[in-house]
């Protein structure tokens, strides 16, 4: 299988007016990650300001993530809603309990696959379906380039930019918040 690849450029301050444009391996725009506050995300169970989405090149919303409110239980780790608007499904993904104090590690069931993503020693994210590595996500802190590499194809959804970018956004939330906590502690 030929390795698939998507790229985008992250932004330092990601407000409602910014987009992270996503490109395929040929440099063609295929969509964008947006930060949004859609009405359906504004409810009692979702943390304010934690809503990211992927829209295709036509502006159609395909996926979104939000962080569920858990109060003090969030110290054990976050729980996320991953919405797939094409299939009208919501998947629950959660941090591995207590791992968030050390590194990024999430798990959940996506379609029929046991999904897992974690931060490797080199800082990249490793994505697995049914315990088999199928993709990686890397971020360059100097250029802000994000690279999504797919090495296996467990399902169309798991290798789609609509899914992969939302996993990166979960990591982005984790990374920003862990840096704030680190600054407060040290």
């Amino acid at each position: 299988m030929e390795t698939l690849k998507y790229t985008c450029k992250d932004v330092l301050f990601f407000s409602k007016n910014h987009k992270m444009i996503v490109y395929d391996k040929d440099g063609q725009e295929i969509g964008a990650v947006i930060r949004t506050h859609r009405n359906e995300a504004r409810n009692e169970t979702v943390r304010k300001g934690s809503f990211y989405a992927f829209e295709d090149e036509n502006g159609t919303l395909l996926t979104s993530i939000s962080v569920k409110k858990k109060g003090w239980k969030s110290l054990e780790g976050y729980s996320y809603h991953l919405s797939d608007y094409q299939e009208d499904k919501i998947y629950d993904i959660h941090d591995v309990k207590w791992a968030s104090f050390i590194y990024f590690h999430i798990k959940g069931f996506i379609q029929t696959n046991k999904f897992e993503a974690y931060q490797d020693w080199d800082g990249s994210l490793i994505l697995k379906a049914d315990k088999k590595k199928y993709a990686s996500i890397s971020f360059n802190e100097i250029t802000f380039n994000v690279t999504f590499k797919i090495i296996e194809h467990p399902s169309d959804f798991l290798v789609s930019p609509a899914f992969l970018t939302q996993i990166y956004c979960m990591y982005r939330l984790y990374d920003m918040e862990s840096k704030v906590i680190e600054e407060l502690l040290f």
Side-chain angles (χ1 to χ4, degrees):
M1 178 184 148
E2 179 184 340
T3 301
L4 288 175
K5 183 175 157 183
Y6 306 112
T7 59
C8 68
K9 191 169 198 100
D10 204 339
V11 293
L12 188 57
F13 300 106
F14 199 173
S15 68
K16 287 192 289 186
N17 300 325
H18 288 102
K19 288 185 175 188
M20 289 191 306
I21 305 298
V22 180
Y23 301 94
D24 66 13
K25 66 180 171 113
D26 299 321
Q28 298 296 312
E29 183 178 328
I30 55 174
V33 176
I34 59 173
R35 181 132 187 218
T36 186
H37 300 280
R38 289 177 52 114
N39 288 335
E40 65 263 19
R42 288 185 182 173
N43 63 48
E44 308 299 316
T45 64
V46 176
R47 209 175 85 184
K48 184 179 178 185
S50 66
F51 190 74
Y52 292 86
F54 179 84
E55 60 184 19
D56 67 14
E57 67 276 10
N58 300 315
T60 302
L61 194 65
L62 301 181
T63 57
S64 68
I65 60 149
S66 56
V67 178
K68 291 196 272 183
K69 285 183 182 177
K70 291 175 42 177
W72 287 102
K73 287 193 70 111
S74 64
L75 288 174
E76 297 175 347
Y78 289 146
S79 292
Y80 308 90
H81 283 303
L82 173 71
S83 298
D84 175 356
Y85 296 106
Q86 300 298 98
E87 297 293 324
D88 195 28
K89 291 187 179 184
I90 296 175
Y91 300 103
D92 289 316
I93 299 174
H94 61 276
D95 287 335
V96 172
K97 281 188 180 184
W98 306 110
S100 61
F101 288 104
I102 303 167
Y103 71 115
F104 177 76
H105 193 167
I106 57 174
K107 289 184 175 186
F109 284 92
I110 307 295
Q111 297 172 333
T112 60
N113 298 286
K114 185 177 180 182
F115 173 77
E116 177 178 18
Y118 58 88
Q119 189 175 12
D120 205 2
W121 294 107
D122 66 0
S124 66
L125 300 181
I126 304 299
L127 284 67
K128 292 183 173 183
D130 297 325
K131 299 186 179 188
K132 185 175 181 183
K133 178 180 174 180
Y134 76 90
S136 67
I137 303 171
S138 58
F139 171 67
N140 184 310
E141 292 183 8
I142 297 168
T143 65
F144 282 69
N145 288 332
V146 181
T147 304
F148 305 86
K149 290 183 183 172
I150 297 100
I151 55 175
E152 295 289 333
H153 194 279
S155 78
D156 289 344
F157 183 67
L158 288 177
V159 299
S160 72
F163 177 77
L164 296 170
T165 56
Q166 297 308 287
I167 300 304
Y168 175 71
C169 288
M170 289 179 207
Y171 169 73
R172 191 178 196 284
L173 281 169
Y174 163 82
D175 189 52
M176 288 186 303
E177 292 185 4
S178 65
K179 285 180 180 169
V180 169
I181 291 169
E182 189 176 296
E183 289 292 321
L184 291 173
L185 293 176
F186 303 104

